[in-house]
Amino acid sequence: MGVKVAVVGGGSTYTPELVEGFVTRGDRLPVDALTLLDIDPERLGIVGALAERMMRRAGWGGTLQLTGDKRAAIEGADFVIVQLRVGGNKARYTDETLPLEFDCIGQETTGAGGFAKALRTVPVVLDLADLTQEIGAPGAWFVDFTNPTGLVTQALLDHGHRALGLCNVAIGFQREFAKHFGVEPDRVQLEHVGLNHLTWERKVLVDGVDRLPELLADPPLEPGEDEFEGMPIDFIRELGAIPSYYLHYYYRTSAVLAHQHTGKTRAEEVMEIEAGLLELYKDPTLDTKPKLLEERGGAFYSDAAAALIASLHADTGDVQVVNVRNDGAIPNLAADDVVEVTCTVDRDGARPLPVAPLAPEMHGLVAHAKAYEKLTVTAAMSGSRADALKALMANPLVPDWDTAKPLLDSLLEVNRRYLPRFFPEG
């Protein structure tokens, strides 16, 4: 029996990544209906046309629907993938620049920028999840790729939805380490622990043998480099684990701030890349994913997303890294904390593999960030400035009340049109 997949934010330049993942997994994931939903009809038309050319090139015989009607997109869907960006890249630019005026990190998923994005995003995603429960296929899965992924997944699970969160950081590490050791990626399994965009690799198992000590002794660096994932190699060796790139916002805040005050924002880079991609996508002869898409970010997104959905559908019990409720997997975190960990995935969902407790230097930061995430979910749904101030003050990258209070006022005002709960008068 075929599968219907609905992609919310189908006009995203990421969509060809997803399409590639689906057409290469037809044996395990027989998608016979793919619906792309987007509020921008021009982008949807451009991206959708490329998606259809890619599918036809691969011999895919299913139906492709392009729509701006969310009910039409979600009705009967077995899987709903969410990759939306409320406010687009203009809002992202604000997320990355406004916090700098208060000498805080400007980033779209962490710090004050990530907080603003969460306030815009959580209510929208929960509304879509409610609709999926109402009119999706029985037992439909809601898969979130929208940042801040861990926080959004926390909101989804706290509100009782059948949902999982997905990020490409872990699969990127897996592919990089597989290349380093000269093996196929499926022979590499990570002990990936923490929260989304706040994770460490504590083991790198190749055919069941931990090769992390070798990686720490001989990291995959280009000649002349002395940093990995934004951190000095000596520090990583002392830590005894490989931190994700996003941890450099916490571990090297001063250096990152200095760079952000003088450098070009990632939002500006992405807008330029996306303009170039959309021009490429318009070419009626293009029927493959263009190389420029690699610069957009989200490397291996197609593999991660399609592999997750295939495992959920085919009941294969594959090992993948997913954002899921902790349920005791990390002993010194709460059972209802959404964590990003290695799981086995089958028709019933993702079950986290038990690991050792987080070391104090990891646990302190994770507990701090998780408190912020839960407070932010509350604020996003209540529309209360008091709740929002508590959440922002709990953010590890916001120093104190004297910073948080005026920063919150500015963030709310600049995002007014996207925050009806905070501004019910419109």
Side-chain angles (χ1 to χ4, degrees), residues 47-65:
V47 174
L50 172 57
E52 183 156 20
R53 292 193 298 270
M54 290 176 66
M55 289 176 154
R56 301 308 173 210
R57 181 178 187 270
W60 180 73
T63 60
L64 176 68
Q65 178 188 20

Side-chain angles (χ1 to χ4, degrees), residues 246-283:
Y246 291 90
L247 271 158
H248 88 297
Y249 293 111
Y250 302 91
Y251 287 156
R252 305 192 69 188
T253 307
S254 297
V256 173
L257 268 174
H259 173 73
Q260 288 189 340
H261 277 302
T262 59
K264 188 176 185 179
T265 67
R266 177 62 179 161
E268 292 171 297
E269 294 174 355
V270 166
M271 284 188 270
E272 292 173 4
I273 293 167
E274 287 206 332
L277 283 170
L278 289 171
E279 283 302 311
L280 290 175
Y281 291 1
K282 290 177 184 178
D283 181 355

Side-chain angles (χ1 to χ4, degrees), residues 64 118 126 142 151 166-168 179 230 232 282 294 306 337 343 347 355 376 382 386 391 395 407 409:
L64 176 68
L126 287 178
F142 195 87
L151 191 155
L166 185 65
C167 181
N168 69 318
K179 181 179 179 182
K282 290 177 184 178
E294 296 174 9
D337 286 350
C343 302
R347 187 169 290 127
V355 295
T376 301
S382 72
N395 190 298
L407 175 55
D409 291 341

Side-chain angles (χ1 to χ4, degrees), residues 10-76:
S12 167
T13 53
Y14 276 133
T15 297
E17 282 273 2
L18 269 181
V19 172
E20 182 184 67
F22 292 151
V23 299
T24 57
R25 286 177 174 80
D27 55 335
R28 296 176 58 207
L29 184 61
V31 177
D32 60 7
L34 176 64
T35 300
L36 305 182
L37 168 68
D38 206 282
I39 61 173
D40 185 331
E42 182 179 6
R43 283 181 66 116
L44 182 61
I46 294 169
V47 174
L50 172 57
E52 183 156 20
R53 292 193 298 270
M54 290 176 66
M55 289 176 154
R56 301 308 173 210
R57 181 178 187 270
W60 180 73
T63 60
L64 176 68
Q65 178 188 20
L66 310 181
T67 183
D69 182 342
K70 62 183 178 182
R71 294 191 70 90
I74 291 174
E75 186 171 13

Side-chain angles (χ1 to χ4, degrees), residues 104-186:
C104 290
I105 293 288
Q107 214 278 328
E108 65 152 346
T109 62
T110 61
F115 169 76
K117 186 172 188 184
L119 295 186
R120 297 192 303 267
T121 304
V122 166
V124 174
V125 172
L126 287 178
D127 284 348
L128 290 164
D130 288 342
L131 186 60
T132 300
Q133 276 191 329
E134 177 191 343
I135 64 173
W141 280 102
F142 195 87
V143 179
D144 180 69
F145 190 69
T146 295
N147 281 318
T149 299
L151 191 155
V152 172
T153 307
Q154 184 78 56
L156 286 163
L157 295 182
D158 286 351
H159 284 77
H161 291 292
R162 186 174 165 87
L164 295 169
L166 185 65
C167 181
N168 69 318
V169 167
I171 197 171
F173 270 135
Q174 182 201 39
R175 297 302 195 265
E176 187 170 3
F177 298 152
K179 181 179 179 182
H180 180 75
F181 289 116
V183 300
E184 291 300 312
D186 61 5

Side-chain angles (χ1 to χ4, degrees), residues 115 385 388-389 392 403-413:
F115 169 76
R385 284 180 178 253
L389 184 57
L392 190 57
T403 301
K405 181 63 169 63
L407 175 55
L408 174 64
D409 291 341
S410 293
L411 289 172
L412 293 180
E413 185 57 39

